[in-house]
Amino acid sequence: MELPPPGTAMHALMTRFPRAGEVRWIGLRPARDVPMREVGVVEAQAGGGLAGDRYQGGSGKRGITLIQAEHLPVIAALSGHAAIAPATLRRNLVVSGIALAALRGNRFRIGDVLLEGTDACDPCSRMEDALGPGGYNAMRGMGGLCARILEGGALRVGDAVEWVGT
């Protein structure tokens, strides 16, 4: 979403965050239809993806996928589970403490890596198998964010997630 002009009340609201977020989990998808691999650190490649991920050389718009940690219990409840492991949802990063939806169309930093939120990361039909019947709908609106990697570097569990601007 494009920001309103600087100096307006809406611009001030849309660029103010109560605190930085934090990376809670990192996972890589080495190939299609194989379990995700949890890692503590990974190299983000500018214009591409994450080293060791099947999308590492991709178009860039979906270089990395993020999901809101606060949504995991909601998705679990809506799909009839007590809890859901992050790998089940097949996103690269689980982030807490900052609203990912507010980062869409904006630049943000995770550690030394500069990213740009490109689009919502909608669930795919595979969520029916992963979460059971209705799993796709249980996840709608909470699938997370796709981002382009503008400046590469190492991403680590515990890194701060901070809005930079447009």
Side-chain angles (χ1 to χ4, degrees), residues 36-58:
M36 290 194 77
R37 185 169 58 95
E38 182 177 355
V39 297
V41 63
V42 66
E43 189 71 20
Q45 303 165 337
L50 301 178
D53 191 76
R54 69 179 264 205
Y55 295 109
Q56 72 184 25

Side-chain angles (χ1 to χ4, degrees), residues 8-84:
T8 64
M10 189 55 77
H11 184 274
L13 289 173
M14 292 178 70
T15 59
R16 189 174 335 163
F17 292 83
R19 64 182 177 274
E22 182 180 342
V23 175
R24 297 295 179 120
W25 184 88
I26 301 172
L28 302 173
R29 301 160 295 210
R32 183 177 173 84
D33 296 327
V34 301
M36 290 194 77
R37 185 169 58 95
E38 182 177 355
V39 297
V41 63
V42 66
E43 189 71 20
Q45 303 165 337
L50 301 178
D53 191 76
R54 69 179 264 205
Y55 295 109
Q56 72 184 25
S59 68
K61 259 183 92 170
R62 192 182 167 107
I64 186 170
T65 57
L66 304 90
I67 193 162
Q68 191 83 49
E70 292 83 354
H71 289 171
L72 296 181
V74 177
I75 295 168
L78 293 174
S79 61
H81 298 279
I84 294 176

Side-chain angles (χ1 to χ4, degrees), residues 29-36 54-55 62 87-91 122-137 139:
R29 301 160 295 210
R32 183 177 173 84
D33 296 327
V34 301
M36 290 194 77
R54 69 179 264 205
Y55 295 109
R62 192 182 167 107
T88 303
L89 304 179
R90 303 190 64 77
R91 302 300 187 257
D122 296 323
C124 69
S125 62
R126 293 186 62 202
M127 292 301 105
E128 288 292 301
D129 292 331
L131 300 172
Y136 174 86
N137 277 327
M139 197 173 165

Side-chain angles (χ1 to χ4, degrees), residues 104-120:
R104 186 174 172 190
N106 289 282
R107 292 180 177 197
F108 58 100
R109 278 204 183 276
I110 300 179
D112 294 328
V113 179
L114 180 65
L115 301 132
E116 179 180 45
T118 57
D119 208 353

